[in-house]
Amino acid sequence: MTAARRFARREWGPLYADVRTALVARKWRAVPLTLVAVGLTALFQAVQHQSWGHGPVHAIGFVRAEDPLWLSLLRTPLSLFVPALDLPVWGALAQVLLVFGIAEICVGRARTLIVAYVATLAGTLYARVGIALGLGGPLGVLGLPASDAQVVDTGPSAAVVGLAVHVCRRYGAYWTGGLVVVAMVVEVCVKNNLAGKEHLAAIAAVLVVWAVAHFSSRVGFGSGVRSGVRPEVPTGGPSGVPTGVPSEVPTGVQSGVPPIRS
């Protein structure tokens, strides 16, 4: 086996095996959340480009830093599914289908939703902090121009980046996760805008949540399962009974306990 194949198996082997097993066994039933997310994204895209639809989508899904905080927080969950007006919708649909689908299979629906929302919320809150910092001063590298307060901040990209990093960390695909982080840093260096810095904020938020959960489990506040390690699931046979584990103890097999005599 070549070095490239060994690297690929080590980096993506467990992830590929879990995704393939789920899709072969359940097909599209394995990713209902992802299908709903893709459908919502396509629906919002179609509606917001209608003469009658822009207003309703704006009212429930548009987020801007100049809006009241309570209103932005209220709109943030649905803003995740509103594609950016200046970007092709097929990119958003492909991101949601691929990354949400892998995350839903690998970490579960509930955790996928939580990570996606945390990442999106981190971007929403960062926009306000960045504008408050401005472009001057010692923290100017973290700041944003005041004009960004009027930028419509929607789309799934922050959630996609956060989920990608989370899944890579959980499966030990550290090279891939590192590549995602480097790509986001390069994006900011090449095009220093609100979207790029929000991606970095999303990554930072996911890593902070993981660090807190990991520390809590280490000091005894967690469930005792090491964070980032997938539980071993025994391989089941056709009957659904794990291979090598009998469904019942055969008659006559000695268990080490003296037989009961009447």
Side-chain angles (χ1 to χ4, degrees), residues 16 27 36 50 53 79 94 98 103 113 117 131 153 188 214 232:
Y16 172 79
K27 298 183 172 58
V36 171
Q50 304 299 318
S79 73
L98 179 63
L113 274 177
Y117 181 70
I131 291 168
D153 182 20
V188 171
H214 181 71
E232 295 295 334

Side-chain angles (χ1 to χ4, degrees), residues 169-232:
R169 184 207 57 79
R170 185 173 177 84
Y171 275 77
Y174 297 114
W175 284 98
T176 305
L179 184 62
V180 172
V181 175
V182 170
M184 296 303 102
V185 172
V186 171
E187 178 190 17
V188 171
C189 293
V190 173
K191 192 175 182 181
N192 189 8
N193 60 8
L194 173 62
K197 289 187 175 180
E198 282 189 342
H199 295 162
L200 294 180
I203 292 172
V206 170
L207 293 179
V208 167
V209 170
W210 168 79
V212 170
H214 181 71
F215 175 77
S216 298
S217 65
R218 290 291 296 272
V219 298
F221 294 110
S223 61
V225 179
R226 287 185 299 161
S227 176
V229 178
R230 294 182 295 120
E232 295 295 334

Side-chain angles (χ1 to χ4, degrees), residues 214-260:
H214 181 71
F215 175 77
S216 298
S217 65
R218 290 291 296 272
V219 298
F221 294 110
S223 61
V225 179
R226 287 185 299 161
S227 176
V229 178
R230 294 182 295 120
E232 295 295 334
V233 180
T235 304
S239 63
V241 179
T243 303
V245 180
S247 58
E248 57 179 328
V249 178
T251 304
V253 174
Q254 298 297 325
S255 63
V257 179
I260 299 175

